[in-house]
Amino acid sequence: MPASPSTARAINDRLALRLLQREGPLTAGQLKQLTGLSRPTVADLVERLTASGLIEMVGESGAQRRGPNARLYGIVGDRAHLAALDVRLESVSVLVSDLVGRVLAEASVPIDADAGTGPAVEQAVALVERAVKEAGSGPTGPEATGVRVPESVREWGSLHTVGIGAPGLIDPATGELRNTTGLPAWHRSLVGALQERLPDARVVVENETNLAALAEMRDGAARDRDTFVLLWLDMGIGAAVVLDGALRRGASGGAGELGFLPVPGTRGLPSATDCDGGFHSLAGATAVLELAGECGVLDVGGAGGPATAAQVVRWAVAAVADVRAARFLDTLADRLALGVASVVALLDPGCVVLGGEVGQAGGDELAVRVAERIAGMSPLPVEVRPSVLGDTAVLRGALLTAQDGAQDDLFG
């Protein structure tokens, strides 16, 4: 049965909005070409979407002949405002953006968990509140970006959607952060506090590694892939599984908990409450620093002892001609290959992205080494790539999640 005129209009409007989301501002002529619709139909939908306040003329194309088709139309960014949070063990980072993702304010703060759950939550909530109020007037506000910001964005509570990335398991039935051993209690309390303070906003929480994978798929190393695994290499170890363009969380939300994977070379086996003895003991940040000490590369680059695993790896890559640096990278690749080989054997993803600060720091030098080892361990072809976004991927993924949710709501 053919669609009714109203249904056809809704379908055409949604198609045009999706194209404007993906491509950015377009002319009516470009919308006609991309949608396959007739010129009068495109003219009608442009008029309809403009009248509804969803799109507006944002400029003109470089066409020589001026006219209606030279006008550029884009989504109205001021229609809603979003916040994205990257919640770590000892810090919180936040950014506030408009509906199309233009950043209006950014801030971060260390969190003193020893002060107790209540003070830690208040400190994080105050950071978000301050970022919202400063979005229209701070150094990353309209003076720096040229973005017109209405007075409402400065008001606490004006947010449409808040996307939060945090370590730990997300209950697939409720979408809530589960109470996980070893993670701070203030993480779960923060989500509840934001929802209470922002009753009109949608608050969405997702595992940090899953958000990093979403960001790498949209803007990073996996832009050309709809099936891949992101191996997160940082203080903790995890993986995100994307199959046929969809994020797979598992029956209990624990898909990709590679830190608990039993592997050879550790001093025991992991337990239900402690990943010590699992893959984490070989590839976590502490293990990387210990390996660097064993290989004698803590002073590579003349830094007198680097503070983080990412710095160690970055200095080793820069000094790869040094036999100590090469030995360190080779041994680290041997360790990472154990986790990657397990993922490849189970999922055959065709592509593994080495993410997190360590994955980005290792770059192609580390990725090539891991790929060489996998080629000798598995008959399945797999490409190993370094992260493009690195430590910024979680915040970027949280923003994309908030943006997608808000646009779906407003464009529905």
Side-chain angles (χ1 to χ4, degrees):
M1 181 180 296
S4 67
S6 61
T7 300
R9 286 193 294 271
I11 292 172
N12 292 340
D13 290 355
R14 189 57 183 257
L15 176 59
L17 287 167
R18 284 295 186 195
L19 286 169
L20 290 169
Q21 284 177 268
R22 190 181 68 207
E23 305 292 337
L26 297 168
T27 66
Q30 290 169 328
L31 282 171
K32 173 181 178 297
Q33 181 180 7
L34 292 171
T35 61
L37 300 173
S38 67
R39 188 179 299 276
T41 300
V42 169
D44 286 344
L45 74 83
V46 167
E47 182 178 356
R48 192 163 53 245
L49 292 175
T50 302
S52 67
L54 292 175
I55 70 171
E56 62 184 349
M57 194 182 82
V58 296
E60 293 184 332
S61 70
Q64 295 297 319
R65 186 178 68 83
R66 297 294 185 184
N69 286 355
R71 297 174 182 171
L72 280 169
Y73 295 93
I75 293 171
V76 178
D78 295 340
R79 187 66 182 263
H81 293 90
L82 320 168
L85 278 74
D86 181 1
V87 180
R88 301 296 177 96
L89 295 180
E90 299 177 344
S91 67
V92 173
S93 297
V94 61
L95 64 79
V96 178
S97 83
D98 66 7
L99 184 59
V100 294
R102 290 177 294 204
V103 176
L104 306 175
E106 292 182 87
S108 62
V109 66
I111 300 295
D112 181 11
D114 293 335
T117 298
V121 169
E122 285 302 318
Q123 193 176 5
V125 171
L127 177 74
V128 180
E129 181 178 8
R130 186 166 65 251
V132 171
K133 291 181 177 180
E134 293 177 355
S137 59
T140 57
E143 292 84 358
T145 64
V147 179
R148 177 174 55 86
V149 181
E151 187 67 26
S152 63
V153 76
R154 303 185 190 186
E155 299 174 0
W156 176 236
S158 66
L159 297 175
H160 182 285
T161 303
V162 180
I164 302 174
L169 302 180
I170 308 299
D171 189 320
T174 65
E176 296 178 351
L177 187 64
R178 289 170 54 181
N179 189 10
T180 306
T181 302
L183 293 178
W186 65 267
H187 282 191
R188 296 184 74 230
S189 299
L190 172 61
V191 176
L194 285 172
Q195 188 65 82
E196 183 179 345
R197 301 282 186 93
L198 301 165
D200 297 327
R202 177 186 300 165
V203 178
V204 182
V205 61
E206 180 59 272
N207 173 266
E208 59 178 356
T209 306
N210 288 342
L211 290 180
L214 173 63
E216 293 287 357
M217 182 170 62
R218 295 273 285 271
D219 299 324
R223 285 191 300 270
D224 60 338
R225 295 280 183 167
D226 64 359
T227 295
F228 71 100
V229 169
L230 172 72
L231 179 58
W232 187 256
L233 304 170
D234 215 306
M235 288 298 295
I237 296 295
V241 179
V242 177
L243 302 178
D244 299 323
L247 189 64
R248 305 297 181 181
R249 297 175 177 84
S252 64
E257 285 294 317
L258 279 188
F260 288 88
L261 179 71
V263 291
T266 64
R267 292 184 291 272
L269 292 173
S271 70
T273 58
D274 190 352
C275 58
D276 187 36
F279 185 51
H280 173 83
S281 294
L282 291 183
T286 299
V288 172
L289 287 172
E290 290 175 353
L291 176 62
E294 295 169 6
C295 295
V297 299
L298 285 180
D299 292 328
V300 171
T308 69
Q311 287 174 314
V312 168
V313 174
R314 191 173 296 110
W315 291 335
V317 168
V320 70
D322 187 302
V323 65
R324 298 169 299 166
R327 176 172 169 251
F328 166 72
L329 291 173
D330 285 339
T331 307
L332 179 58
D334 290 340
R335 294 182 175 192
L336 296 181
L338 295 175
V340 173
S342 299
V343 166
V344 171
L346 286 173
L347 299 175
D348 186 21
C351 177
V352 173
V353 177
L354 304 182
E357 289 189 336
V358 171
Q360 185 185 42
D364 290 329
E365 283 287 348
L366 184 58
V368 167
R369 282 170 163 78
V370 174
E372 289 173 348
R373 284 150 179 79
I374 298 302
M377 297 169 67
S378 172
L380 306 176
V382 61
E383 186 176 358
V384 181
R385 302 176 177 177
S387 164
V388 171
L389 302 175
D391 198 40
T392 66
V394 176
L395 199 58
R396 177 61 182 161
L399 176 59
L400 289 170
T401 298
Q403 186 179 350
D404 288 347
Q407 290 182 350
D408 284 344
D409 180 45
L410 294 172
F411 299 164

